[in-house]
Amino acid sequence: DGGITQSPKYLFRKEGQNVTLSCEQNLNHDAMYWYRQDPGQGLRLIYYSQIVNDFQKGDIAEGYSVSREKKESFPLTVTSAQKNPTAFYLCASSKLGALYEQYFGPGTRLTVT
Amino acid sequence: AQSVTQLGSHVSVSEGALVLLRCNYSSSVPPYLFWYVQYPNQGLQLLLKYTSAATLVKGINGFEAEFKKSETSFHLTKPSAHMSDAAEYFCAVILTGGGNKLTFGTGTQLKVEL
């Protein structure tokens, strides 16, 4: 079955630690995205990538970093510079072009204390 | 800049009643519009999308939405609510020529009561 996997489902970290969230897709999609979801705020775009070895900042990139070394993988690192990292993080992928919908992974809930 | 506004962060209906979730967009160019559904602690699933082919769009699970340019609206409806429809619903927009960047509304939580 094709799809997007995110691991782990729940993640706990201490303040000041960097943490990396995994996102893998086997849909052969060129574009991949990371969103942050907070209650009452909808989804906000952190980073996106349309091709291997290239990515662009979204609306709330500060305190986050990404890499795109392989087409299938788009890991997100939440750094200690992110002021309020506790949130639900969603990864998505799509074909290139606005006509094509984004497919979402199951999400990772990150709690930083 | 493009944006979407979802009126009503919480909507409650009785089972069997009409579901109406409101979405208005602002865009200076023709948009592509999407409705997604999210069940608790899960990712988003596409319900339907408008890409300028037909103004009335039918989606999964009996949902449909009508694009009304004059009202800049894309409201989601379902004639008869089921308990399984209880979830959070998001409207989203992409500008034509704007690549793949989705802008989401803040979501509407739908509650279905017996």
Side-chain angles (χ1 to χ4, degrees):
Chain A
D1 278 344
I4 303 175
T5 56
Q6 292 185 244
S7 60
K9 180 71 173 176
Y10 298 94
L11 193 52
F12 298 88
R13 282 292 184 271
K14 295 291 187 183
E15 201 172 303
Q17 293 179 334
N18 290 354
V19 58
T20 297
L21 282 60
S22 168
C23 177
E24 303 277 335
Q25 55 98 1
N26 62 3
L27 299 168
N28 199 32
H29 287 165
D30 288 297
M32 296 187 73
Y33 315 81
W34 273 105
Y35 294 92
R36 172 186 171 130
Q37 184 177 20
D38 297 282
Q41 295 194 48
L43 279 73
R44 293 179 290 169
L45 183 64
I46 304 172
Y47 269 98
Y48 65 104
S49 168
Q50 295 183 311
I51 193 170
V52 173
N53 292 322
D54 189 41
F55 46 83
Q56 288 77 41
K57 292 182 179 179
D59 301 318
I60 55 164
E62 186 175 350
Y64 299 98
S65 66
V66 294
S67 63
R68 186 88 186 274
E69 297 177 1
K70 298 187 299 182
K71 186 176 182 177
E72 307 79 37
S73 178
F74 191 41
L76 173 75
T77 297
V78 184
T79 75
S80 57
Q82 168 52 232
K83 299 301 181 189
N84 185 20
T86 294
F88 190 48
Y89 291 87
L90 287 158
C91 179
S93 72
S94 73
K95 295 180 182 180
L96 285 178
L99 286 174
Y100 299 106
E101 66 267 28
Q102 294 182 17
Y103 292 81
F104 284 80
T108 292
R109 187 166 296 280
L110 173 65
T111 302
V112 177
T113 57
Chain B
Q2 65 189 52
S3 71
V4 287
T5 303
Q6 291 185 242
L7 293 175
S9 59
H10 292 81
V11 170
S12 184
V13 300
S14 299
E15 192 174 34
L18 172 71
V19 175
L20 171 61
L21 304 182
R22 300 177 186 273
C23 174
N24 288 88
Y25 69 92
S26 64
S27 172
S28 58
V29 298
Y32 295 144
L33 293 156
F34 304 79
W35 274 101
Y36 283 87
V37 61
Q38 184 181 34
Y39 297 99
N41 292 310
Q42 294 186 26
L44 276 66
Q45 180 184 7
L46 181 73
L47 278 175
L48 48 81
K49 64 180 180 181
Y50 166 76
T51 56
S52 75
T55 56
L56 182 61
V57 182
K58 294 188 184 298
I60 62 171
N61 302 338
F63 284 93
E64 62 182 38
E66 186 172 7
F67 174 72
K68 292 186 176 180
K69 185 178 178 180
S70 61
E71 298 178 8
T72 61
S73 69
F74 190 58
H75 302 330
L76 182 70
T77 60
K78 182 174 181 177
S80 176
H82 296 156
M83 296 297 291
S84 60
D85 294 326
E88 189 156 23
Y89 293 80
F90 292 94
C91 183
V93 63
I94 290 180
L95 290 179
T96 54
N100 290 73
K101 286 185 64 178
L102 270 173
T103 298
F104 284 87
T106 52
T108 297
Q109 188 73 45
L110 176 66
K111 182 178 179 181
V112 181
E113 299 174 317
L114 287 172

